[in-house]
Structure formats: C-alpha cells, structure tokens
Amino acid sequence: MDDLTLGMLALVVIGGFAAAFVDSVVGGGGLISVPVLLTAGLPPAAALGTNKLAGTLSSLTSTLSFFASGHVDVRAVRGLIPLSLLGAAAGTLTLRHVPSGFLKPMVVAMLAIIAVYTLLRREWGERAAFVSFTAGTAWLAGIAAFALGFYDGFFGPGTGSFLIFAFLLLGFDFVKAAGNAKALNFASNLASLATFLALGSVHYGVGLLMGAAMIAGSWIGSRFAIRRGRAYIKPLFLVVCVLLIGKQLVELL
C-alpha cells in the first residue's frame, strides 16, 4: 500500500468526495468508498476500518454543518448518542466472531418497506410534528439508537436511511431528521472506528487522504441539502434506498 500510483490516489480523493457528498445527507456513502478502497488494494478488513476513519471525519463535518444551521435537535439526540456509541462498539466486537452476511435478506426487505412507505406518504416529512419525547417514545428511540448503532458496527449498509426513517416516525421533518441522523451516525462511526483502531485494521495514510476529501464533500453536500430542503433530501433518500437494495440483491444472487 505504500506504492499507490497517482491514478489510485486520485481515485481515493474523487471517490471519497463523491461518497461524502451523498453520505452527508442520507448515508450510503460506503457504496462508493468501500469499493474504491478495495480497488486501491486494501484487504477487506483494512478497507472497512479505513473507511470508518474517513467516514468518521465525514460524519463529524456534516453533523457540525447541520448543527450550525439549527437542524439538529440537541434535546432529542443528547440522550441517544451514548446508546449509539455503546451499540456500535458492541456490533464491531461481535463482527469478529459472527459473520454478518445472514442479515442481507432482512436488510433488503426493510429498505424496500421504507422506500415504499416513504414514496406513498407524499407529504411526509414536510412539516415537523415532534414536540418532546413521551415515556413510550423515549424508550423506543433509545432502543432504536442502540440497535442501529449495533447494526452500523456489525454490518452497516443503510444505517443513515434507517436513522432518518426512525426520526421521521418520531415526527421530525426531513431536514431535521437528516441532521439528527448524522449526529447519531457520527457517534456510531466514532465507536466503531475506536474498535477498528484497537484491532489494528486501519490504514492511516489512505484513511486520512480520503478523509480530507470527505470533509470537503460533506461540507458542500450538507450545505446544499440544507438550502434545498425536503425537495432534495426525500428523492435522494429514495434513490439511496433503491441502490442499497440493488447492491444487497446482487450480492445475494
């Protein structure tokens, strides 16, 4: 990995920027970044760990962008972030002992349900209805934060889409749901990255190079989404769901 050509370096930078531009809003950046890292010559375990390093820098950038624009509900997410951290660490550790491939059929089914449900509810996410957690919704949100954090550390594809869907169900509009989702996604990425670092599965040089490109892609992507709002986020959300379904189906077949 110390003899990357200029072409491969360019691929890492361009691929990282493109992945982060999409991932900064609805997730799914791994559809681009992980294949790029594998093409660059990293073995699968190192590609996943290196992607987490770059992805953590990306999700931090987009979280800060949404937060600065007032599109992160701090009261709603502050209690969920520790649960997302714990879940992701547990998921990454579990991955060492249990193969994650068995989840693919379930993920395809869940993403299909989410895409159809979102498509049929035309006005969904246009206006915010969330005021505060009740005792019941607080428990459900906590379980979702831990479970999706675990899923992100254990398997990963579609985490951003699942988080946005959860916040939409709680009554947030699309823009704030995306901002809240990025905050939790940053937490799960951070915990998962710490575990990969402890296992020695991160290539720092490639990860930081891709991370720098991802910071730029995340900042530009999140700012664009904030300006365009639901009219941009909802179609992108649906497109990423369809692409994720397609990728998982191809791998299953």
Side-chain angles (χ1 to χ4, degrees):
M1 282 310 303
D2 296 324
D3 56 349
L4 281 177
T5 64
L6 285 176
M8 282 298 180
L9 290 173
L11 177 66
V12 167
V13 171
I14 295 169
F17 180 91
F21 187 91
V22 175
D23 196 76
S24 64
V25 187
V26 295
L31 287 168
I32 302 171
S33 57
V34 173
V36 164
L37 292 170
L38 291 171
T39 302
L42 270 72
L48 292 174
T50 303
N51 182 62
K52 278 297 178 187
L53 171 57
T56 300
L57 295 172
S58 172
S59 59
L60 172 61
T61 303
S62 51
T63 299
L64 291 174
S65 180
F66 277 105
F67 177 78
S69 300
H71 292 297
V72 175
D73 191 319
V74 177
R75 291 181 306 161
V77 302
R78 65 187 177 189
L80 301 177
I81 286 175
L83 295 170
S84 187
L85 280 163
L86 288 172
T92 306
L93 289 172
T94 303
L95 180 60
R96 295 186 66 195
H97 308 288
V98 181
S100 61
F102 70 92
L103 286 177
K104 289 179 182 178
M106 183 178 69
V107 171
V108 169
M110 290 176 65
L111 285 169
I113 291 168
I114 286 173
V116 171
Y117 185 85
T118 305
L119 191 61
L120 293 177
R121 292 196 62 179
R122 297 183 183 277
E123 308 264 322
W124 200 37
E126 189 170 333
R127 285 176 291 274
F130 179 85
V131 179
S132 62
F133 286 123
T134 64
T137 57
W139 272 100
L140 290 173
I143 292 169
F146 181 85
L148 290 174
F150 183 94
Y151 171 80
D152 191 29
F154 184 65
F155 189 50
T159 301
S161 300
F162 291 137
L163 283 169
I164 288 174
F165 188 74
F167 281 112
L168 288 170
L169 288 175
L170 288 169
F172 290 96
D173 61 68
F174 254 102
V175 180
K176 193 153 279 189
N180 291 344
K182 291 316 298 181
L184 262 64
N185 200 202
F186 168 64
S188 63
N189 278 341
L190 190 63
S192 185
L193 171 62
T195 310
F196 275 116
L197 288 171
L199 297 173
S201 298
V202 176
H203 190 292
Y204 293 96
V206 176
L208 291 173
L209 177 65
M210 178 174 270
M214 280 191 160
I215 288 172
S218 290
W219 182 257
I220 295 171
S222 57
R223 300 307 299 173
F224 185 78
I226 290 164
R227 286 198 302 270
R228 297 294 296 274
R230 177 181 178 272
Y232 168 73
I233 297 175
K234 183 176 180 180
L236 183 63
F237 175 77
L238 290 169
V239 166
V240 168
C241 282
V242 170
L243 290 175
L244 285 164
I245 289 169
K247 179 178 182 293
Q248 300 307 313
L249 283 175
V250 167
E251 291 180 357
L252 279 170
L253 298 174

